[in-house]
Amino acid sequence: MLEIRNLHVKLEEEDKVILKGVNLALPDGEVHAIMGPNGSGKSTLSYVLAGREGYEVTEGEVLLDGENLLEMEPEERAAKGVFLAFQYPVEIPGVGNMTFLRTALNAQRKARGEPELSGAEFLRLVREKAKALEIDPEMLKRPVNVGFSGGEKKRNEILQMAVLEPKLAILDETDSGLDIDALRLVAEGVNALRAPDRSFLVITHYQRLLDYIVPDVVHIMADGRIIRTGDADLAREVEKTGYADILKELA
Amino acid sequence: MAEVHERDNPAEARLAAIRLPEEEAGWARAARAAALARLRRTGLPNQRDEYWRETDPSAFVAPEPVPAAPLVTDEPPVFDAIDRLKVVFVDGVFDPEASDPLALDHVEIERLADVLQADIHWARDLFGRLEETAHDPVPRPFAALNTAVAGDGIVIRVRGRAPKPISLIYLHRDDRSDAVLHHLVRIEPGAELTLLENGPAAARFNQLLEVEVAAGGSFHHVRAQGRDHERRAVTHLVGRVAEGGVLKSFTLTANGALSRNEYVVRLEGAEAVTHLAGAAVGDGAVHPFHHDDTIFVTHAAESCESRQVFKKVLRNGAVGVFQGKILVRSVAQKTDGYQLSQGLMLDGDSRFFAKPELEIYADDVKCSHGSTCGAIDEEQLFYLRARGVPRPEAENLLVLAFLAEALEEIEDPALADDIRARLEAWLRRRQG
């Protein structure tokens, strides 16, 4: 269970307040979508949950299964089961995709007191997951995200998610830059991971992704707050009328 | 006043004290005398010299070395698991007991001290002859000094494919040793050799390697300098590569108070290739670290290829210097030249100087160079941490990634793995 209570966040470097009291409860097993216009604070929320530097929490708290997430280093959050699928996956020349993924998985397992996977066990696991996502084994041998197409980068994020099996997966505009086939693959990858003990926070600008990953709850975010919450129909309403109407309603 | 000043000048004192070996063959004595004359003409350097501005040569110039205690470590030496022919020098003196018999298929191996006694020897065309060509336009006084006084070294002639690498192992026992080693390598047409070098050598170490690669020959050099903190070493690799020949050199440097590695390579035949690479890691926290790579590659024939890839990881006041030049003569059309020098600063205290130079007189040439100096990429670091990799481990991964392009220049995978393992161990020891 993820609980975000009255979260206020500003940029560390400048006096710019981005989140102005976000409240959200995401029970295990559910998929919640956050939609909103550009600049509403959606991506900031995802970064703050993952522990990126540069943000200052001025008020409020975030609990994952009752534990204060905001006090943890990014790697501790990952070991607790937080996974952020990046909007812009980072290229790391010189680090092989497999080395990266194995180091990550074993670091998490070590932090949780679980035995590390051997090279052979790991290879088997990744091959199986990669196959389901139609990821070319050649891609696994290349440096992390280097020379990957936009779709390959996003599929690589989902592969990491499938291997790391997080408790809470945050998908930050995973649909951006994807054609319809890639979108379907990514959505299938996510749907395959839906489980009673795993929750998803799907951040998106467009409703399109939510045709494939059907959410239990939809939140509309604007100007650093969640201004409306509803079911999957709310997403379709936004798609039809745009954000302008909702914002007007509010004003 | 002037005379008093000269007597107090360590460079003058050093030059005045040089005595050339006398019991050698005529050609050797002539080569020594010519080298000393070169040295007297240029003099020993100081920090006013253009290529010594960022590296203080006074420890190399001083009449006596700074005493250095031999390194004590229980880490097995690098290349330990590699099948190789071992040639051991202790404080700069060949140790036949500790060495393997100097015999290898397709290879003649001799001790320099013996070769210089022989009235007739092929080495007369190489000893000091390549070094002599390396001074124009930049003098290399310590290379000339080496030819003049070197007491020992190894002389190798390769006539086919050497079945295993020759490994020069330098042991340091005496805390005041002042070792000067001079090696000669001649790769005959189509022949191949890998030469390995490692070990602390001496309190002060001057090493010169003259390498002649004939048409279609190939020479691979992999060297590990470290982990002796008190190392003060000046080395020169002077190479000449004929048509279709290959000369590749990689150096790992870990620690060291003062290391200056110079490379002077001339590509003299069409389609000759040289790749020079170095990965240096230094942490100035407890011991000073200063590392200098100074390179001069001349393209003197058509369609040759040269690469320089030098990377330095610096922390806690460590200093890295790169001075690299590509000279493309007017005859050297279709030259493919590449030069990369990069510094990765792990804190705000360290310093990296880079002086890349291109001088091109041909018009149909592809030459690129780049030099960067930066910190660890925060985006990459966060990405790794967000996947669960703890910060120190994530930093080490990124440091290895930064060095990867230099390590890729090692062709033999077993040697590359060995070098990578050394780096990983070095990084782990310094992990917070």
Side-chain angles (χ1 to χ4, degrees):
Chain A
M1 172 92 165
L2 173 75
E3 295 161 274
I4 303 173
R5 294 181 188 154
N6 192 30
L7 185 65
H8 287 69
V9 171
K10 68 180 271 292
L11 289 183
E12 232 165 41
E13 300 276 306
E14 43 186 304
D15 257 342
K16 191 172 172 194
V17 181
I18 302 191
L19 299 183
K20 302 172 179 171
V22 174
N23 288 290
L24 192 152
L26 172 54
D28 290 352
E30 291 193 7
V31 175
H32 287 205
I34 296 185
M35 298 182 70
N38 289 330
S40 58
K42 305 188 299 291
S43 284
T44 296
L45 178 62
S46 71
Y47 282 140
V48 170
L49 292 177
R52 187 189 168 113
E53 283 173 22
Y55 301 101
E56 190 187 327
V57 174
T58 53
E59 226 184 305
E61 60 181 357
V62 177
L63 304 175
L64 181 67
D65 296 333
E67 285 188 89
N68 186 347
L69 208 57
L70 299 177
E71 274 177 4
M72 298 178 201
E73 297 293 333
E75 53 266 38
E76 294 175 74
R77 300 180 196 204
K80 293 276 181 203
V82 177
F83 180 92
L84 170 64
F86 282 60
Q87 183 179 2
Y88 304 107
V90 180
E91 296 184 9
I92 314 183
V95 177
N97 218 7
M98 291 292 265
T99 307
F100 161 66
L101 200 44
R102 188 175 165 205
T103 306
L105 179 63
N106 279 336
Q108 288 198 17
R109 293 180 68 95
K110 202 169 143 194
R112 291 194 292 259
E114 298 163 9
E116 298 183 22
L117 287 194
S118 73
E121 288 168 324
F122 174 75
L123 207 63
R124 221 172 12 249
L125 175 71
V126 174
R127 284 210 179 123
E128 176 202 315
K129 307 278 189 193
K131 204 175 162 197
L133 286 161
E134 293 180 24
I135 286 173
D136 184 350
E138 278 305 304
M139 206 171 109
L140 298 172
K141 292 183 194 156
R142 303 211 309 252
V144 179
N145 293 324
V146 177
F148 287 22
S149 70
E152 284 176 328
K153 282 182 182 171
K154 295 297 171 79
R155 264 187 287 160
N156 198 30
E157 293 291 289
I158 304 304
L159 172 67
Q160 292 169 32
M161 185 166 80
V163 169
L164 297 172
E165 299 187 317
K167 193 163 185 329
L168 166 68
I170 305 155
L171 276 60
D172 186 8
E173 307 223 3
T174 294
D175 49 337
S176 68
L178 289 189
D179 62 34
I180 197 72
D181 292 331
L183 185 72
R184 197 174 291 132
L185 265 178
V186 163
E188 278 167 14
V190 171
N191 288 331
L193 284 167
R194 288 177 82 151
D197 58 349
R198 180 173 295 131
S199 53
F200 289 86
L201 197 57
V202 180
I203 291 170
T204 180
H205 187 77
Y206 301 105
Q207 185 262 343
R208 191 177 67 154
L209 178 65
L210 305 180
D211 285 341
Y212 297 94
I213 305 172
V214 180
D216 299 300
V217 177
V218 174
H219 306 275
I220 307 294
M221 195 162 176
D223 193 28
R225 286 185 200 90
I226 286 172
I227 55 165
R228 274 185 66 182
T229 295
D231 59 15
D233 289 338
L234 179 57
R236 283 187 273 275
E237 183 189 321
V238 167
E239 184 71 7
K240 234 184 293 153
T241 59
Y243 291 110
D245 283 358
I246 295 177
L247 293 177
K248 226 182 285 160
E249 228 172 87
L250 226 83
Chain B
M1 270 312 275
E3 262 175 46
V4 174
H5 180 75
E6 270 195 10
R7 236 179 286 133
D8 290 341
N9 181 330
E12 292 301 325
R14 182 83 185 277
L15 289 176
I18 292 174
R19 296 285 171 272
L20 297 182
E22 284 171 5
E23 307 294 315
E24 293 177 342
W27 62 268
R29 291 208 312 274
R32 303 268 207 192
L36 182 57
R38 282 195 285 285
L39 176 59
R40 290 231 160 96
R41 260 198 313 279
T42 58
L44 285 161
N46 59 54
Q47 280 196 280
R48 288 187 300 276
D49 291 308
E50 190 185 348
Y51 287 89
W52 288 95
R53 272 186 201 143
E54 308 300 346
T55 297
D56 180 0
S58 56
F60 299 137
V61 169
E64 298 295 328
V66 179
L71 175 80
V72 180
T73 167
D74 48 13
E75 190 186 30
V78 65
F79 309 138
D80 226 26
I82 306 285
D83 182 26
R84 64 210 161 124
L85 184 120
K86 289 184 229 169
V87 181
V88 179
F89 295 87
V90 179
D91 291 306
V93 179
F94 176 63
D95 182 344
E97 301 293 309
S99 301
D100 291 330
L102 301 184
L104 194 61
D105 287 351
H106 314 300
V107 186
E108 293 164 27
I109 313 170
E110 293 168 273
R111 189 178 171 179
L112 181 76
D114 297 336
V115 165
L116 296 179
Q117 309 269 335
D119 286 324
I120 299 174
H121 199 283
W122 62 267
R124 70 177 290 168
D125 295 329
L126 190 51
F127 179 68
R129 291 296 182 85
L130 274 185
E131 174 258 299
E132 181 181 9
T133 66
H135 298 268
D136 180 29
V138 183
R140 322 269 167 196
F142 296 111
L145 173 70
N146 184 302
T147 300
V149 306
D152 223 327
I154 204 82
V155 177
I156 301 168
R157 187 176 197 179
V158 190
R159 297 176 183 278
R161 191 193 161 101
K164 58 182 173 183
I166 295 176
S167 178
L168 309 182
I169 299 166
Y170 305 127
L171 303 181
H172 175 205
R173 302 242 169 88
D174 176 353
D175 62 8
R176 290 174 185 276
S177 55
D178 192 11
V180 184
L181 287 179
H182 192 129
H183 309 304
L184 305 176
V185 176
R186 182 170 164 81
I187 309 287
E188 296 294 347
E192 273 178 50
L193 175 75
T194 297
L195 182 73
L196 309 176
E197 288 184 278
N198 74 290
R204 181 165 71 181
F205 188 33
N206 177 329
Q207 184 260 39
L208 169 59
L209 177 59
E210 292 183 280
V211 184
E212 171 99 63
V213 180
S218 92
F219 176 69
H220 293 264
H221 176 231
V222 179
R223 167 168 62 176
Q225 292 177 306
R227 306 160 35 206
D228 46 328
H229 291 283
E230 296 180 72
R231 175 181 60 251
R232 289 178 174 80
V234 56
T235 77
H236 292 82
L237 189 166
V238 183
R240 180 159 65 190
V241 189
E243 186 173 348
V246 173
L247 185 161
K248 294 190 179 180
S249 173
F250 171 89
T251 299
L252 168 70
T253 306
N255 308 336
L258 179 61
S259 314
R260 161 97 161 197
N261 296 333
E262 294 203 30
Y263 304 78
V264 184
V265 178
R266 286 164 55 90
L267 302 173
E268 294 203 332
E271 295 180 358
V273 171
T274 188
H275 290 193
L276 307 172
V281 290
D283 184 335
V286 181
H287 304 274
F289 175 86
H290 186 111
H291 183 84
D292 175 329
D293 292 301
T294 294
I295 299 112
F296 199 112
V297 172
T298 303
H299 284 255
E302 277 194 6
S303 305
C304 292
E305 172 193 315
S306 71
R307 278 175 74 81
Q308 301 173 29
V309 181
F310 286 85
K311 305 245 188 174
K312 296 175 176 66
V313 177
L314 306 167
R315 122 179 338 168
N316 290 317
V319 181
V321 178
F322 172 86
Q323 310 181 98
K325 178 156 181 169
I326 306 174
L327 169 64
V328 180
R329 293 262 164 83
S330 56
V331 293
Q333 300 296 356
K334 311 263 185 236
T335 283
D336 182 356
Y338 176 77
Q339 182 196 79
L340 181 69
S341 67
Q342 296 184 307
L344 179 66
M345 323 296 273
L346 297 182
D347 55 39
D349 289 348
S350 300
R351 285 182 296 155
F352 176 63
F353 301 96
K355 182 175 168 180
E357 293 178 279
L358 295 180
E359 195 176 329
I360 300 173
Y361 297 100
D363 46 26
D364 182 12
V365 162
K366 191 175 95 189
C367 260
S368 62
H369 71 104
S371 182
T372 65
C373 176
I376 281 202
D377 185 304
E378 289 295 328
E379 293 287 322
Q380 294 176 346
L381 190 61
F382 174 62
Y383 192 65
L384 289 167
R385 296 177 72 197
R387 294 294 176 259
V389 184
R391 186 183 188 113
E393 237 179 285
E395 283 185 353
N396 288 353
L397 261 182
L398 293 175
V399 167
L400 286 171
F402 167 78
L403 295 172
E405 194 180 349
L407 265 67
E408 276 163 19
E409 294 295 336
I410 307 171
E411 282 194 7
D412 184 311
L415 293 173
D417 287 348
D418 202 348
I419 293 286
R420 196 172 300 108
R422 300 290 142 173
L423 270 170
E424 285 170 2
W426 190 91
L427 288 167
R428 268 198 306 275
R429 279 193 297 274
R430 271 148 198 84
Q431 188 166 298

